[in-house]
Amino acid sequence: MAAQDFNFILATDSYKITHYKQYPPNVSKIYSYFECRRKKGSPFSEVVFFGLQYLLKKYLAGPLVTEEKIQEAKIFYQMHFRQTVFDEEGWRKILEKYDGRLPIRIKAVPEGKIVPRGNVLFTVENTDPEFFWLPNYIETMLVQMWYPITVATMSREFKKILSKHLKATSGSTEGLDLKLHDFGYRGVSSQESAALGGAAHLVNFCSTDTVAGLLMTQRYYSCPMAGFSIPAAEHSTIISWGRNREKEAFEQLLDQFSTGPVSVVSDSYDIFKACKHIWGNKLKERVMERSQDSCLVIRPDSGDPASTLIQVIKILEECFGCSVNSVGYKVLPSYLRIIQGDGIDLSSVEEILHKLSNEGWSAENVYFGCGSALLQKINRDTLSCAFKCSYVETNGKGMDVYKQPVTDPSKGSKRGRLSLRRNSDGFLETVERGKGKPEEDMLVTVFENGSLLQDYTLDEIRKNARLQGEGEELRLAEHNCDQKQPEALHIINGLL
């Protein structure tokens, strides 16, 4: 149920306060939809649908409208517009007829579903003719779905790259769900961004330092513990020992965390000397005493990511040796790994893994951490998210509506009532103009008249978001993920 102190009436763009006066006379229904438009040349051809359940639970479920909130909004908008434009009567009718609950219906694809861009993701319509203005009143809030969808999609693109290289250089995707660690908490714009973005990453991985995301999946997606971390050093805990005592700083980490993995940032002064002379010499025996379950994870944190990491792994090979795996790639001893968390994005991860494999190294040796490129360096245009009206009813007659700007055909919108189906070729397609068959429609009613009708768990969402062919060897930590991913989805109604 939405927070009691949240005034939903104030959670919209200012101009929407005036829109109830602008629709045609005798209009009784407004039907709108949300999509991630296709965009030629974009690296993202499909999206992960995630985050609507949080938004519905936190902001839209239950009684939202009270007399106190109506009066607060009335005073606010009178001051804001400097004239009387607020629909006090309309909101009071919602309070009287529905106990303050919203008479709207939202249908959406199941959370975690992979959908080609250009397809409908959810629809919104009023359930009472008196409140035709409501569906687009809540557009402002609903379009903020762009953020969790984009983060979940970005995270899954990382997963595709990591899966490809891990499989090619080790013969397996074991451990894939821990290969990308969320370092983004401090780099986002707010606590809510951290929570929502952190949760979106956890759709694909089980590795994070963003506590807010874990708390969100507990509260809104029924997951007791969605992600994991390990003890790790930061520069302050190393440099506080002084430059001449870096070895003692490292040794302290080994002493304090003698069991279980530990990550040590090692570039405070000279990453190459640290690897060769401290880890590979002075503390070599201490490192070799550790096991696969208590491995030392060395973290470079500056310089060119690819060249620095390759130089580091070569130094570690000289000091500790390596073995060759079943597909012919080199692997450091199981007690030693590297995590690269600086300068990481989709491009640099691909470059690093490509160069490592060219040098004969398996992706098994490396973990990655990502911060702002995962949670912050994105916007609504990254996936071209849009919310548009496609159907209206006036004087009892339905009409398909659309926009088609002559200056930008890519902004043309869909027409009529929409449904999402899998066609006879196995591809997803949006059916427009109300021509879809209800029994084929993949859109599920998730919200109606103030009540949440579907409650997905993170486990269910993770199953929906699996990579194609992801099998038994790739189990998300402590979750029973035993269903196979459906066939690959493709855009049917257009070309990228």
Side-chain angles (χ1 to χ4, degrees):
M1 184 179 294
Q4 295 298 311
D5 60 348
F6 175 73
N7 192 341
F8 169 80
I9 306 173
L10 297 172
T12 193
D13 298 302
S14 298
Y15 74 153
K16 288 188 177 292
I17 303 305
T18 69
H19 289 175
Y20 74 101
K21 291 176 173 285
Q22 301 176 30
Y23 288 103
N26 301 317
V27 65
S28 59
K29 183 175 286 290
I30 296 292
Y31 175 99
S32 297
Y33 72 95
F34 178 96
E35 69 172 326
C36 296
R37 291 178 176 134
R38 295 186 305 276
K39 188 172 182 180
K40 190 174 182 179
S42 173
F44 308 106
S45 61
E46 59 188 12
V47 302
V48 182
F49 185 70
F50 176 74
L52 181 60
Q53 180 167 296
Y54 159 74
L55 188 149
L56 296 176
K57 284 185 177 182
K58 186 171 177 65
Y59 295 113
L60 298 184
L64 302 183
V65 182
T66 65
E67 184 59 39
E68 292 75 20
K69 291 176 180 178
I70 293 172
Q71 291 305 313
E72 179 187 23
K74 176 183 178 180
I75 294 169
F76 177 89
Y77 288 126
Q78 181 68 39
M79 295 170 62
H80 182 46
F81 284 98
R82 293 179 288 186
Q83 57 179 302
T84 302
V85 294
F86 176 60
D87 185 15
E88 181 180 1
E89 181 183 354
W91 287 102
R92 187 164 288 112
K93 284 182 179 178
I94 290 177
L95 175 59
E96 293 169 353
K97 290 185 70 172
Y98 294 97
D99 190 32
R101 297 171 183 267
L102 300 183
I104 60 171
R105 179 182 301 115
I106 300 176
K107 296 181 70 177
V109 298
E111 297 221 8
K113 209 70 174 172
I114 311 304
V115 182
R117 284 175 68 172
N119 283 296
V120 59
L121 295 173
F122 64 84
T123 63
V124 187
E125 62 186 304
N126 56 297
T127 58
D128 185 321
E130 278 197 273
F131 307 107
F132 59 87
W133 45 268
L134 255 182
N136 273 49
Y137 191 95
I138 63 175
E139 174 190 2
T140 307
M141 180 176 292
L142 292 176
V143 170
Q144 291 179 341
M145 277 291 296
W146 75 262
Y147 180 67
I149 289 173
T150 305
V151 174
T153 299
M154 184 78 68
S155 174
R156 193 169 183 270
E157 292 299 313
F158 274 106
K159 194 175 188 181
K160 290 179 184 178
I161 295 169
L162 289 160
S163 176
K164 176 183 69 174
H165 286 276
L166 190 59
K167 179 73 173 179
T169 63
S170 75
S172 166
T173 54
E174 183 178 356
L176 174 59
D177 55 313
L178 296 173
K179 279 292 183 182
L180 184 69
H181 198 82
D182 176 4
F183 283 168
Y185 202 161
R186 68 190 61 187
V188 293
S189 58
S190 68
Q191 287 290 331
E192 187 172 30
S193 295
L196 198 48
H201 171 68
L202 291 168
V203 170
N204 304 293
F205 292 91
C206 291
S207 192
T208 185
D209 257 32
T210 301
V211 173
L214 296 168
L215 295 174
M216 177 169 284
T217 58
Q218 283 184 350
R219 182 170 182 181
Y220 295 98
Y221 291 94
S222 304
C223 184
M225 183 47 62
F228 309 94
S229 189
I230 65 173
E234 69 175 19
H235 286 107
S236 75
T237 67
I238 302 299
I239 64 175
S240 60
W241 290 76
R243 183 171 189 133
N244 295 329
R245 300 179 68 204
E246 189 176 28
K247 178 255 186 184
E248 286 80 359
F250 291 172
E251 195 165 20
Q252 173 82 346
L253 271 293
L254 299 181
D255 290 338
Q256 292 296 318
F257 307 101
S258 57
T259 60
V262 60
S263 171
V264 185
V265 63
S266 302
D267 77 322
S268 297
Y269 310 107
D270 188 328
I271 181 67
F272 309 119
K273 288 183 179 178
C275 290
K276 186 170 185 177
H277 299 298
I278 302 179
W279 294 123
N281 185 3
K282 296 176 182 177
L283 296 177
K284 181 176 180 178
E285 291 185 7
R286 294 292 309 276
V287 174
M288 294 177 67
E289 289 170 359
R290 301 181 75 88
S291 66
Q292 179 177 347
D293 294 331
S294 300
C295 69
L296 167 67
V297 184
I298 294 174
R299 177 161 72 95
D301 196 46
S302 53
D304 177 74
S307 60
T308 300
L309 194 148
I310 288 173
Q311 194 169 344
V312 164
I313 203 170
K314 287 180 176 179
I315 291 171
L316 296 176
E317 178 191 19
E318 292 173 6
C319 297
F320 295 96
C322 68
S323 59
V324 176
N325 65 20
S326 61
V327 290
Y329 286 86
K330 294 189 288 185
V331 184
L332 290 171
S334 60
Y335 53 77
L336 192 58
R337 290 293 181 263
I338 304 168
I339 184 168
Q340 178 67 41
D342 181 60
I344 293 304
D345 56 25
L346 290 173
S347 176
S348 64
V349 164
E350 180 74 65
E351 179 189 2
I352 289 167
L353 292 172
H354 180 71
K355 288 184 176 180
L356 277 175
S357 64
N358 283 348
E359 295 278 345
W361 289 98
S362 171
E364 295 169 85
N365 295 285
V366 184
Y367 296 89
F368 294 94
C370 190
S372 58
L374 178 64
L375 301 189
Q376 188 70 19
K377 289 183 179 179
I378 53 177
N379 56 47
R380 185 160 69 95
D381 294 331
T382 303
L383 294 177
S384 305
C385 298
F387 184 99
K388 297 299 171 188
C389 177
S390 62
Y391 174 82
V392 300
E393 290 180 4
T394 307
N395 292 318
K397 291 186 176 182
M399 178 172 63
D400 299 342
V401 297
Y402 60 95
K403 59 176 284 191
Q404 196 173 49
V406 66
T407 53
D408 189 350
S410 71
K411 287 194 171 184
S413 63
K414 292 176 169 47
R415 308 181 185 196
R417 288 184 168 276
L418 310 175
S419 62
L420 184 71
R421 72 174 184 181
R422 192 181 300 278
N423 66 19
S424 58
D425 294 322
F427 301 152
L428 289 190
E429 64 179 1
T430 296
V431 182
E432 303 184 22
R433 305 179 188 234
K435 295 181 179 180
K437 298 178 181 178
E439 65 271 18
E440 295 180 340
D441 193 6
M442 296 174 66
L443 299 179
V444 178
T445 302
V446 295
F447 184 87
E448 189 166 310
N449 296 339
S451 297
L452 189 76
L453 302 184
Q454 294 287 330
D455 198 344
Y456 299 104
T457 67
L458 184 64
D459 194 30
E460 293 170 327
I461 294 166
R462 283 171 160 173
K463 290 175 184 177
N464 286 338
R466 278 183 161 191
L467 298 180
Q468 182 185 6
E470 199 170 318
E472 286 298 315
E473 67 180 7
L474 181 56
R475 289 181 175 273
L476 295 173
E478 299 191 3
H479 288 267
N480 248 343
C481 296
D482 54 5
Q483 296 180 11
K484 292 185 178 180
Q485 170 71 15
E487 291 299 310
L489 307 178
H490 301 275
I491 293 174
I492 189 68
N493 51 354
L495 298 175
L496 285 176

